[in-house]
Amino acid sequence: QMDLCIEAFGTSKQKRALNSRRLNAVGNDILNTAVTKAAANIIDAKGVTALIQDMAQDDVQNISIFLPPCNEDADKPENVYKFEDILSPAEYEALRAPAAVFVNVTPEEITKKAEDKSHCSFVLEELKFLPADEKSRDHKSRCLWFLDTLIKFSYLKVIKKKHPMGPECPHIISRKLMKNFTSLTYNNGSVQNLISASMKAKITAYVIALALHINNFQTDLTVLQNDLKLQESRMMDIAKALRLKVSKAKGLPGLENDQNHKLGTLSLPLPVQKASGNQRKRKKMN
C-alpha cells in the first residue's frame, strides 16, 4: 500500500528510490533462483549422500582451526582455554533452569538414568561426585548439562528442526549450537544445517575443553571418546591438537584394572605443537 501511495503521490526522489528497490529485488530473485537451480543440479548429479561424504573429506584437513581460542601465554591451566570462550555469561545464566534436574539428583535417580541411558557415561559418572557446596554444585551441574547436550547434538546429521534438542533447551543454547557447530548445505532448493566431520571435531574439542574445566584439567579421554562414538586415533589427534599430555589412566576410580583408558592432562608449559603429516606434505607440494 505504501508503494502504491508513492507511485501516485510521491516525489520524484521517492519514485526513483522505489524503482531502484524493485530492480534490486528482481536482481536478488534472479540470483537466488540461479544459485538454487545450480545447487539442485549438483545434488541431482551426485546425490546428497555423496555430497556429504565429499564435505566430510574436505573439512577433516585441519583440526586446529576448530579448537577453542588458545591463550599460549596463560599463567595457569584455567586460562589456556577460558571458560568464557566455551560458555558466555548469558549462556551460562540460561543453563540455570535446565541444570536444576542435576542439582538435586539422588543416587536412586542416577541409577535409573544409567539404566535408561538417558545421559552420556561421562555425565552419569560425574553426577555421583557433585560437590556439597551449593554454588559449586550448581556450577558443575550447568557444565554437565551443556556437555551432555553437546554430545547428544553431535549424534545428529542433517538438522531439520529449529530446536533440535527439544523445548527444555534454552533458546540461546539452541542458537549457539546451530550457529557454532553446524555447516550449511543445500537440499531440494533449501538451506539445511549439517554436522560435518569438521563440526564433529569442533564439538569434540569443546567437549574436551569443558571436561577439563570440570575435572581440574585432567580427564578420561576414552570415556569421552566412547560417548562421542569416535575412533581412538581421531580422539587422540584432537587431544594433541589441544596441547594435552596423553598417558594411560592408572589408578583412577573404577579403572584400576583397566590400562586401556587414555588420560588427557592440560598443564604448563604447553607441549610444542607439531605440524601434521598432511601439513608437511602440502608444504612440499607447494
Side-chain angles (χ1 to χ4, degrees):
Q1 289 177 346
M2 180 64 72
D3 289 349
L4 291 174
C5 288
I6 291 174
E7 280 184 326
F9 309 108
T11 64
S12 298
K13 184 176 180 181
Q14 288 173 327
K15 289 178 180 179
R16 284 198 302 272
L18 175 61
N19 289 332
S20 177
R21 179 159 53 80
R22 284 176 170 172
L23 287 172
N24 285 336
V26 171
N28 287 335
D29 287 342
I30 293 171
L31 178 61
N32 289 335
T33 301
V35 170
T36 300
K37 185 176 180 180
N41 289 339
I42 293 170
I43 290 168
D44 289 341
K46 297 198 69 173
V48 175
T49 302
L51 283 173
I52 291 174
Q53 289 174 346
D54 287 350
M55 189 179 295
Q57 290 299 319
D58 289 341
D59 55 23
V60 296
Q61 296 298 320
N62 191 353
I63 294 173
S64 63
I65 63 173
F66 301 108
L67 304 180
C70 178
N71 177 17
E72 297 197 10
D73 299 322
D75 55 346
K76 43 190 176 181
E78 54 263 42
N79 290 332
V80 176
Y81 300 108
K82 292 182 178 179
F83 187 79
E84 294 77 13
D85 289 329
I86 302 171
L87 280 168
S88 72
E91 292 160 354
Y92 180 77
E93 180 57 34
L95 292 171
R96 180 190 299 274
V101 297
F102 287 170
V103 173
N104 301 313
V105 72
T106 65
E108 292 76 21
E109 288 172 335
I110 295 173
T111 301
K112 181 68 166 59
K113 288 178 184 295
E115 292 172 353
D116 296 341
K117 296 182 179 179
S118 57
H119 302 289
C120 65
S121 299
F122 178 90
V123 169
L124 290 169
E125 188 63 26
E126 290 298 324
L127 284 175
K128 299 175 184 176
F129 304 103
L130 288 176
D133 174 70
E134 183 178 345
K135 186 175 180 180
S136 299
R137 191 180 184 91
D138 174 60
H139 173 73
K140 186 171 181 178
S141 294
R142 296 192 207 193
C143 293
L144 289 175
W145 194 92
F146 181 65
L147 184 143
D148 191 62
T149 300
L150 260 182
I151 289 177
K152 288 175 179 174
F153 188 71
S154 75
Y155 299 157
L156 306 178
K157 292 183 179 178
V158 177
I159 301 165
K160 299 177 181 178
K161 298 179 181 178
K162 189 174 181 180
H163 302 289
M165 305 314 294
E168 69 277 5
C169 183
H171 177 69
I172 190 173
I173 300 298
S174 291
R175 192 170 64 216
K176 178 187 184 73
L177 295 174
M178 297 295 281
K179 180 180 178 181
N180 296 337
F181 299 104
T182 67
S183 303
L184 293 179
T185 183
Y186 276 98
N187 188 21
N188 293 330
S190 63
V191 177
Q192 289 182 334
N193 294 85
L194 168 76
I195 297 183
S196 59
S198 64
M199 291 297 106
K200 178 85 171 185
K202 185 174 182 180
I203 291 171
T204 301
Y206 277 74
V207 164
I208 294 173
L210 185 54
L212 290 168
H213 277 275
I214 293 170
N215 277 339
N216 199 26
F217 303 96
Q218 187 175 76
T219 194
D220 189 324
L221 296 172
T222 303
V223 172
L224 293 174
Q225 170 203 321
N226 292 335
D227 283 337
L228 286 157
K229 301 178 182 178
L230 288 175
Q231 292 184 343
E232 183 179 275
S233 59
R234 184 65 166 158
M235 190 68 172
M236 293 304 107
D237 284 345
I238 296 170
K240 289 173 183 176
L242 284 165
R243 317 283 281 276
L244 303 188
K245 294 177 182 176
V246 179
S247 59
K248 289 184 177 180
K250 296 180 181 179
L252 290 180
L255 298 175
E256 289 84 355
N257 299 321
D258 189 346
Q259 300 300 312
N260 295 320
H261 280 241
K262 296 293 193 302
L263 188 69
T265 304
L266 180 63
S267 59
L268 299 175
L270 294 173
V272 176
Q273 198 165 28
K274 297 178 182 179
S276 70
N278 284 339
Q279 288 174 323
R280 286 196 299 270
K281 186 176 180 181
R282 285 198 298 271
K283 191 170 182 180
K284 287 178 183 178
M285 289 173 68
N286 291 338

